[in-house]
Amino acid sequence: MKKKIAISQSNYIPWKGYFDMINMVDVFVLYDEVQYTKNDWRNRNILKTNKGLEWITIPVKQNNLDQRVDETKVFLPKWNVKHWKTLQAVYGKAPFFRKYRERFEKLYLEIDTLLLSEINKKFIHEICDILNIKTPIISSTELSLVGDANERLIDACIKLEAKTYVSGPTAKTYIKDALFHENSIEIEWIDYSGYKEYNQTSTPFEHGVSVLDLIFNEGENANSFLKSFNS
């Protein structure tokens, strides 16, 4: 089989599609040595509440426009306590919240770093374990990547001996297909349409929310709503 990899910046409690991408590949690379972008998914995500959609955001400080994701730090204390209380209020009555309550309470209340990238990694690893995703996750800094945006992705593929690069559809705006083909690397685009609906605590159904919504509502059955577990 041809080895597949995906490369993405870390997100805070990402949506289910993010974990589908991780489960589709042989190695997943967290690419946090790039510019931090404000009002993006790095430090926030969406919860499904009875009153509608609600952003949940880690307060971070951006000192300059060149600041990298892995240099970005939290600037307000006890944000983790506030977020945990929010999750209890939103999902306390969800069918499987009690099953995972202790696990997430420990994760939130024992956070001991101010670095956003490290916080995101803790949640991504924990959620992968819950979803039974076994893909190795590494940091791009381990690969000492060189070149421009496209060349660094190709460099990662070469260093990890991957013949297929898996990417979300938004990357079509900057990916240069010809460069990948010149290096004998195929590009596989993820299709995020057609996800099955699951039980949510309110209507209308919303797909683009944090994966915690899926976990708290479907429990051990959560990964059956990911495409990669049904392909």
Side-chain angles (χ1 to χ4, degrees):
M1 289 181 63
K2 293 181 179 179
K3 189 175 183 180
K4 297 182 178 183
I5 70 166
I7 302 172
S8 179
Q9 295 173 45
S10 68
N11 291 352
Y12 175 52
I13 51 173
W15 82 301
K16 59 193 173 188
Y18 190 96
F19 292 95
D20 242 345
M21 178 187 285
I22 297 176
N23 198 45
M24 288 176 181
V25 298
D26 299 297
V27 179
F28 185 75
V29 182
L30 285 170
Y31 194 31
D32 282 354
E33 57 180 301
V34 292
Q35 181 184 15
Y36 169 79
T37 48
K38 192 176 180 180
N39 298 326
D40 213 331
W41 301 102
R42 309 293 84 78
N43 66 313
R44 65 178 189 164
N45 222 291
I46 301 172
L47 303 182
K48 178 82 161 61
T49 79
N50 291 331
K51 297 179 181 179
L53 300 181
E54 178 181 315
W55 286 100
I56 185 168
T57 305
I58 299 177
V60 298
K61 186 174 183 180
Q62 186 173 15
N63 297 311
N64 57 73
L65 293 177
D66 295 326
Q67 180 173 303
R68 299 179 357 172
V69 177
D70 57 9
E71 296 170 337
T72 302
K73 294 182 178 181
V74 177
F75 76 86
L76 285 180
K78 298 187 178 179
W79 70 269
N80 51 325
V81 176
K82 181 180 179 181
H83 279 208
W84 175 236
K85 288 180 178 178
T86 297
L87 287 172
Q88 290 180 83
V90 173
Y91 292 110
K93 295 182 180 179
F96 294 92
F97 180 80
R98 185 175 296 180
K99 176 179 176 65
Y100 299 103
R101 178 189 179 107
E102 185 175 335
R103 192 164 183 173
F104 279 102
E105 182 175 42
K106 179 180 175 65
L107 185 60
Y108 270 99
L109 301 187
E110 292 186 1
I111 287 173
D112 57 359
T113 178
L114 295 177
L115 290 169
L116 175 64
S117 181
E118 294 302 314
I119 292 168
N120 287 346
K121 287 176 188 177
K122 289 177 184 289
F123 281 95
I124 289 168
H125 281 288
E126 191 73 21
I127 293 168
C128 279
D129 187 57
I130 289 171
L131 295 174
N132 197 31
I133 294 173
K134 308 296 186 182
T135 305
I137 299 174
I138 67 171
S139 171
S140 60
T141 55
E142 297 176 40
L143 301 175
S144 301
L145 303 178
V146 296
D148 64 19
N150 279 264
E151 291 167 345
R152 288 163 77 86
L153 300 180
I154 292 168
D155 192 27
C157 290
I158 293 171
K159 287 174 177 174
L160 291 171
E161 300 180 342
K163 291 299 182 182
T164 303
Y165 175 68
V166 178
S167 177
T170 57
K172 289 182 179 181
T173 59
Y174 67 86
I175 289 289
K176 296 178 180 177
D177 298 46
L179 287 178
F180 283 78
H181 294 152
E182 286 173 13
N183 287 276
S184 301
I185 299 168
E186 296 179 12
I187 302 175
E188 184 177 312
W189 299 104
I190 297 177
D191 179 6
Y192 286 132
S193 65
Y195 274 111
K196 294 188 299 179
E197 293 186 4
Y198 56 89
N199 294 313
Q200 288 184 331
T201 54
S202 61
T203 57
F205 188 87
E206 296 284 352
H207 282 290
V209 295
S210 169
V211 74
L212 297 187
D213 185 85
L214 173 59
I215 291 170
F216 292 146
N217 281 301
E218 290 291 346
E220 294 177 351
N221 196 39
N223 62 15
S224 68
F225 293 90
L226 300 184
K227 290 183 179 181
S228 57
F229 279 94
N230 296 293
S231 58

